[in-house]
Amino acid sequence: MIDLTMDMEQYDCPFIATTDDHDVSFAAVHWEFDEAARELETRLVVEGDSRPTLDRGLEALQAHPGMNQCDLFRRREDTAFIRTVIEETDAMGVIRANDGYITGPFRIAEGSETWEVGFDDERVAGDALAELERNNEFTVESRDVLALDDCFDLLENADAASELLEGCRSLSATERETLAVAAEAGYFEQPRNATLQTLADEFEISDTAVSNNLRRGERKVLSRVVTALDSIDRRPAGR
């Protein structure tokens, strides 16, 4: 299996056109392709820089000629959850014609889209990329070749991976930023390259406050790690 991460700019995609003109971003939660109608149904989270920006982005999306249906499920301030139905884009058609398939959720922001695409054959993947170049701009950010055993390993540990993902999602923005800065500064190294006071100065808060943020973040992530490890340990012997 050839797994590609691509930064894609489709000229006929309603989502890309919307993010090109408005400060909104989209993250796919669910997608399904209708073979007969040649349409893609998606459920997405939409985020805007502000509530008015989100309003303008949703209006632009609904008005795009490639948008067949756009329903608002829920919204809160600058975030919304929507269901859309769009026509098959040129890039989607090329991927499907070359037996490609989506291997992960796609994200759209600032006029481009991150795709996770898989192919079963190296030659077919090359043919698809060559055909995509005719009507689309894209960059292959990463290219991984997964052996059959690797694919089985991913499938068998899907529950563990989901636990780790949920642990990351459970972090608040402050906890996420604190953990990231601490890791980059070397706080978790041995010996430490940063102290609580170093981090406190970075965030302009007390060392007690930064310690609390770190502990909350660590507790959320580590609790999921323990659950994931337990899931892996329960796998049948010899697998």
Side-chain angles (χ1 to χ4, degrees):
M1 173 182 171
I2 314 301
D3 190 56
L4 304 176
T5 299
M6 305 170 63
D7 183 61
M8 174 72 68
E9 295 181 38
Q10 302 182 74
Y11 301 128
D12 54 351
C13 175
F15 306 116
I16 288 180
T18 300
T19 63
D20 209 17
D21 297 331
H22 303 276
D23 290 328
V24 296
S25 63
F26 299 90
V29 178
H30 169 268
W31 59 93
E32 183 175 354
F33 191 80
D34 187 326
E35 291 272 3
R38 311 300 296 179
E39 293 178 330
L40 179 70
E41 178 182 342
T42 54
R43 285 168 175 76
L44 307 103
V45 174
V46 193
E47 293 183 290
D49 280 359
S50 65
R51 187 183 182 92
T53 299
L54 177 64
D55 289 337
R56 290 191 293 269
L58 290 175
E59 290 172 2
L61 184 68
Q62 292 172 329
H64 192 279
M67 181 61 62
N68 292 350
Q69 189 172 346
C70 182
D71 302 317
L72 175 65
F73 284 158
R74 292 190 300 275
R75 70 168 298 160
R76 184 175 61 188
E77 298 301 326
D78 58 359
T79 303
F81 182 50
I82 64 174
R83 171 186 172 274
T84 65
V85 178
I86 68 171
E87 299 174 1
E88 181 182 53
T89 64
D90 176 82
M92 290 163 52
V94 169
I95 296 297
R96 291 177 52 76
N98 287 275
D99 297 323
Y101 41 86
I102 301 298
T103 60
F106 50 89
R107 298 166 296 279
I108 311 103
E110 299 179 345
S112 67
E113 184 173 10
T114 301
W115 276 19
E116 304 286 343
V117 183
F119 296 91
D120 293 328
D121 181 86
E122 182 79 35
R123 181 187 58 78
V124 174
D127 291 343
L129 293 179
E131 191 173 344
L132 278 174
E133 288 181 337
R134 298 175 188 170
N135 298 307
N136 303 275
E137 294 286 340
F138 67 89
T139 302
V140 177
E141 301 289 347
S142 67
R143 184 189 194 98
D144 297 313
V145 179
L146 300 179
L148 189 60
D149 287 346
D150 294 328
C151 293
F152 282 136
D153 195 36
L154 287 173
L155 291 172
E156 290 176 342
N157 290 300
D159 290 342
S162 178
E163 281 292 337
L164 296 177
L165 182 60
E166 287 304 315
C168 293
R169 286 174 173 165
S170 69
L171 295 171
S172 68
T174 298
E175 292 161 354
R176 187 181 300 116
E177 184 178 9
T178 303
L179 287 173
V181 171
E184 291 172 2
Y187 177 79
F188 299 109
E189 300 294 332
Q190 186 63 38
R192 284 178 173 168
N193 296 325
T195 65
L196 282 176
Q197 188 59 57
T198 305
L199 299 177
D201 292 342
E202 176 73 20
F203 290 103
E204 298 183 347
I205 58 177
S206 69
D207 55 357
T208 300
V210 80
S211 176
N212 289 337
N213 291 335
L214 277 173
R215 289 180 181 278
R216 281 195 299 269
E218 290 172 336
R219 184 167 57 250
K220 289 180 180 179
V221 173
L222 288 176
S223 65
R224 296 287 186 168
V225 169
V226 171
T227 303
L229 289 172
D230 183 58
S231 174
I232 293 173
D233 289 341
R234 289 199 305 269
R235 285 177 55 187
R239 297 294 297 277

